[in-house]
Amino acid sequence: MEIIMSVVAGILFAAGIYNLLQKQLLRIVIGTVILSNGAHLFILTMGKLKRGAPPVLEYGISDYADPLPQALILTSIVISFGLTSLLLVLSYRAAQENNTDNMEKLRGNHDE
Amino acid sequence: MSNLAVLPIIIPLVSGILLAFFHTKTPFVRHAAKLLSVMSTGVAAYVFYYVLQNGTVTLETGGWEAPYGIVLVADLLAVTLVLTTNVIGLACVFYAPYSLTEQKERYYFYTFFFLLITGVSGAFLTGDLFNLFVFFEVLLMASYALITLGGEKVQLRESIKYVLVNLFSSIVFVTTVAFLYSVLGTVNMAQMAERVQEVEQQGILTTIGILLFFVFATKAALFPLYYWLPKPYTVPNPVVSAMFAALLTKVGVYSIIRMFTLVFIHDTTVTHELFIWIAGFTLVFGAIGALSTNNIKLIIAYNIIPAVGFMVMGIGIYNKTALSGSVYYMISDMIIKAALFLLAGAVAHIVGTSDLRKMKGLIHQLPLLGWLLFISAFVLAGVPPFSGFIGKLMIMQGGFADGEVAIVIIGLLSSLLILYSIMKIFVRGFWGEKDENITIDRKTANALTWPVAFLVFFTVLLGIGAEMFYPVVDEISNQLMNPEIYIDSVFKE
């Protein structure tokens, strides 16, 4: 199971970075979303996927899933959710102001 | 008294939220922000005094014991930096009303200002690697809002690059935390330090250490990851640039200091040697960048880079003297960078342009500002008796003691280039014939000058009163060289 998940995380990383290197702003935003999802999956894989019971507090259970990676992922998902919405608004406004969503044309010059 | 550790985070957080409710009442918000900032600085000073007297304060949040819950560790390095942050915030809050338009102030400037301070203080105080990531995000979110405040064309264009670079490095940060968790089974820094000690830092840990270093190096703008820094730092309002320059890169440097004096210290041949090389390149390329332009703001923005190089050089040399130098230089550089950006902003505001070719002879109209720039240049380049000199001297001494002669010479030569790049502003902008075309609003000019004078006064004090501050810095580097002190303070009894 871990191996499949590692491969999936790797594919997500690759797809994310490919999209990040595009010129269109929307694709870059999608790239960051895919990349952060890859990172979340990666955390889950690193904390071992299945080790018996869920991490609910009950006496006498020794084989429970590790709750820490899940807490980390939850925090990280909230953060990346906020960042994605910010980035979408930001790129919409930037595209509107500069009349282009092409990163090549958003380079800027020295005369400003 | 362990609740003291949380106060520097809570006070700006609550201030920011409170001010958000009154954002339409600009005059009230201005005065409230000044008052709250003074209060926050007072509390930070008290926490500093308390830690200086009684040693490290740790707070286990929510009553969860050390390795399981989130701990806040207020050791001497952290509280010193928190105090410096608050002093800079104080100067910025007094400068802001004259530099911002009322519209920008209405759009929650003060709220984001306080949230930025919350994030920075939190990053300094936390004792948990994942929590460090969270506080990084808090301060970055505030910085994203501040950099786009006003929504000008050029701001939006540059801020996209700024956001993307920081977002990418944050994702790498999370991935690295996952790696570390899988190897060490903990995200608590003190426990990580203990476990690394047990396994004597094998190859995989060095790899993770270098990955982590590159995350922080992106935030701190080290060679070759500094390309994103100079332009975005020139587009927002001067107050915002000053806060960014003073605080954001230094959070990266602080994280490097923390991780590489506490956790990854058992195999220094690879990592710390790498730091020295990177510091050398950072010094050279940053100084060249600063010489390459005629835009005042850009000159100063490029000067952030060699300063970070000096601090990392001290970490790379890794002995007590060099670390004291790094910390001393960091404190002095935080203050002087804020002062320089406020100064450049004042000049640009008064003259109406930041292009050096379009100004001359300002010294006749703005004598105080001119001489403040002159002193700042000396502080930055490290001319005795100012504070930059003492920091650099200690780094150099440490370097000579460890036989790292080449890097010390690069450091000395790049200092000359830094001095020249700042002096260029003084000679071209302030020297020479009086320019009759420039009219000056005396009241605004004075109001913009005093916060700069306040900050420059502090750096001069740090230099002349070195006798007084040296014991503190010596104690900080003593704590950094002996990580057991940190570990023991987290795992009491």
Side-chain angles (χ1 to χ4, degrees):
Chain A
M1 193 64 181
E2 268 96 359
I3 303 222
I4 302 171
M5 278 301 154
S6 320
V7 172
V8 172
I11 292 171
L12 284 178
F13 269 107
I17 287 173
Y18 175 77
N19 272 305
L20 212 56
L21 296 174
Q22 300 298 304
K23 284 173 192 161
Q24 225 183 336
L25 263 177
L26 188 60
R27 283 201 181 200
I28 295 174
V29 178
I30 291 171
T32 61
V33 176
I34 296 175
L35 205 56
S36 57
N37 279 328
H40 299 155
L41 208 56
F42 188 74
I43 304 177
L44 197 64
T45 319
M46 284 285 148
K48 297 251 172 30
L49 284 171
K50 197 155 167 59
R51 278 201 302 206
V56 182
L57 196 61
E58 256 183 88
Y59 288 103
I61 293 180
S62 56
D63 241 12
Y64 54 88
D66 191 349
L68 194 84
Q70 303 181 6
L72 300 191
I73 294 166
L74 197 60
T75 318
S76 186
I77 284 175
V78 174
I79 289 171
S80 73
F81 174 63
L83 271 175
T84 309
S85 47
L86 179 109
L87 198 54
L88 278 170
V89 174
L90 185 64
S91 38
Y92 177 69
R93 276 278 290 164
Q96 220 178 20
E97 288 279 323
N98 291 294
N99 291 324
T100 176
D101 69 338
N102 189 330
M103 283 306 270
E104 290 279 310
K105 289 177 187 157
L106 286 173
R107 269 195 179 158
N109 48 29
H110 290 290
D111 299 332
E112 280 156 334
Chain B
M1 289 301 276
S2 65
N3 278 335
L4 269 182
V6 82
L7 286 180
I9 305 174
I10 287 287
I11 291 173
L13 180 67
V14 173
S15 316
I17 294 168
L18 278 182
L19 293 181
F21 288 115
F22 302 104
H23 74 113
T24 47
K25 299 181 180 61
T26 318
F28 169 74
V29 168
R30 274 179 197 161
H31 289 109
K34 282 173 192 168
L35 192 72
L36 288 167
S37 196
V38 169
M39 196 174 91
S40 170
T41 314
V43 171
Y46 177 69
V47 176
F48 172 74
Y49 176 75
Y50 186 86
V51 171
L52 193 63
Q53 296 294 322
N54 302 307
T56 309
V57 175
T58 44
L59 173 65
E60 290 159 344
T61 49
W64 289 81
E65 276 179 29
Y68 306 109
I70 292 166
V71 281
L72 296 176
V73 186
D75 69 338
L76 201 51
L77 174 63
V79 290
T80 312
L81 294 174
V82 166
L83 181 60
T84 319
T85 305
N86 276 291
V87 169
I88 291 160
L90 198 61
C92 288
V93 93
F94 278 90
Y95 184 96
Y98 300 96
S99 151
L100 292 161
T101 58
E102 198 168 325
Q103 196 204 4
K104 286 183 184 172
E105 283 179 278
R106 265 170 176 245
Y107 279 99
Y108 308 101
F109 168 77
Y110 293 105
T111 300
F112 291 125
F113 166 85
F114 278 115
L115 289 182
L116 186 70
I117 292 193
T118 310
V120 172
S121 303
F124 288 146
L125 288 171
T126 183
D128 172 308
L129 194 62
F130 192 78
N131 212 30
L132 182 66
F133 162 74
V134 174
F135 276 116
F136 261 116
E137 289 307 317
V138 170
L139 71 92
L140 285 174
M141 280 287 206
S143 78
Y144 299 153
L146 285 173
I147 202 171
T148 47
L149 196 72
E152 289 159 31
K153 215 172 171 176
V154 59
Q155 273 185 325
L156 289 166
R157 203 178 62 206
E158 295 300 328
S159 63
I160 282 193
K161 295 157 199 169
Y162 174 78
V163 173
L164 281 175
V165 168
N166 278 303
L167 190 57
F168 185 74
S169 80
S170 294
I171 292 170
V172 180
F173 193 2
V174 169
T175 317
T176 318
V177 173
F179 268 129
L180 261 180
Y181 182 70
S182 81
V183 176
L184 295 175
T186 180
V187 286
N188 183 297
M189 288 185 202
Q191 204 181 15
M192 270 159 52
E194 265 184 344
R195 296 213 171 148
V196 172
Q197 207 167 12
E198 279 160 22
V199 298
E200 288 286 312
Q201 193 171 1
Q202 288 151 351
I204 178 82
L205 280 168
T206 308
T207 316
I208 296 171
I210 289 175
L211 197 57
L212 206 54
F213 170 73
F214 273 99
V215 173
F216 296 140
T218 317
K219 312 266 186 206
L222 281 165
F223 176 86
L225 303 160
Y226 67 83
Y227 53 87
W228 59 272
L229 183 134
K231 276 211 104 180
Y233 274 37
T234 57
V235 293
N237 199 276
V239 190
V240 178
S241 314
M243 303 272 299
F244 281 17
L247 305 177
L248 297 193
T249 50
K250 277 36 167 212
V251 176
V253 177
Y254 165 80
S255 311
I256 295 174
I257 293 184
R258 184 57 88 212
M259 292 315 287
F260 289 91
T261 58
L262 181 65
V263 181
F264 303 104
I265 47 170
H266 303 285
D267 187 8
T268 56
T269 43
V270 184
T271 48
H272 290 65
E273 196 65 26
L274 176 80
F275 294 174
I276 290 180
W277 278 94
I278 285 183
F281 281 116
T282 311
L283 284 167
V284 173
F285 279 79
I288 290 173
L291 293 175
S292 71
T293 169
N294 273 318
N295 184 333
I296 300 184
K297 288 182 181 172
L298 210 51
I299 292 175
I300 296 168
Y302 265 114
N303 264 308
I304 298 171
I305 297 160
V308 172
F310 272 111
M311 294 166 212
V312 173
M313 184 171 141
I315 305 166
I317 293 167
Y318 196 55
N319 57 30
K320 192 160 170 279
T321 328
L323 270 177
S324 319
S326 274
V327 173
Y328 208 99
Y329 192 74
M330 189 161 150
I331 296 164
S332 122
D333 189 68
M334 279 168 86
I335 300 177
I336 202 66
K337 278 289 142 54
L340 272 171
F341 265 97
L342 294 182
L343 207 154
V347 172
H349 188 85
I350 293 163
V351 183
T353 172
S354 59
D355 194 332
L356 263 186
R357 287 167 294 194
K358 290 178 190 152
M359 58 180 83
K360 60 174 180 172
L362 288 175
I363 194 99
H364 299 286
Q365 283 132 312
L366 304 161
L368 184 57
L369 213 55
W371 293 115
L372 285 174
L373 177 71
F374 190 73
I375 296 174
S376 308
F378 276 9
V379 174
L380 199 64
V383 175
F386 297 114
S387 55
F389 169 72
I390 293 153
K392 281 186 185 174
L393 179 73
M394 282 193 275
I395 299 175
M396 307 281 163
Q397 272 179 342
F400 276 125
D402 265 20
E404 305 281 0
V405 182
I407 184 74
V408 171
I409 291 168
I410 292 176
L412 287 172
L413 291 177
S414 69
S415 294
L416 285 179
L417 295 181
I418 292 165
L419 184 64
Y420 174 69
S421 71
I422 298 283
M423 273 311 180
K424 199 163 96 175
I425 304 177
F426 187 72
V427 171
R428 296 227 194 127
F430 283 88
W431 221 234
E433 298 282 304
K434 188 175 175 181
D435 192 343
E436 300 296 340
N437 299 328
I438 298 167
T439 49
I440 284 174
D441 179 5
R442 196 49 35 214
K443 192 161 161 277
T444 315
N446 282 341
L448 291 175
T449 309
W450 286 115
V452 182
F454 171 74
L455 288 176
V456 172
F457 167 75
F458 262 97
T459 55
V460 172
L461 194 70
L462 267 176
I464 293 169
E467 283 289 298
M468 205 161 69
F469 297 103
Y470 181 72
V472 179
V473 177
D474 194 53
E475 177 57 29
I476 291 175
S477 66
N478 186 34
Q479 288 185 3
L480 290 177
M481 290 304 284
N482 299 301
E484 307 84 51
I485 299 175
Y486 186 94
I487 297 170
D488 288 345
S489 67
V490 176
F491 302 116
K492 285 166 255 163
E493 73 260 14

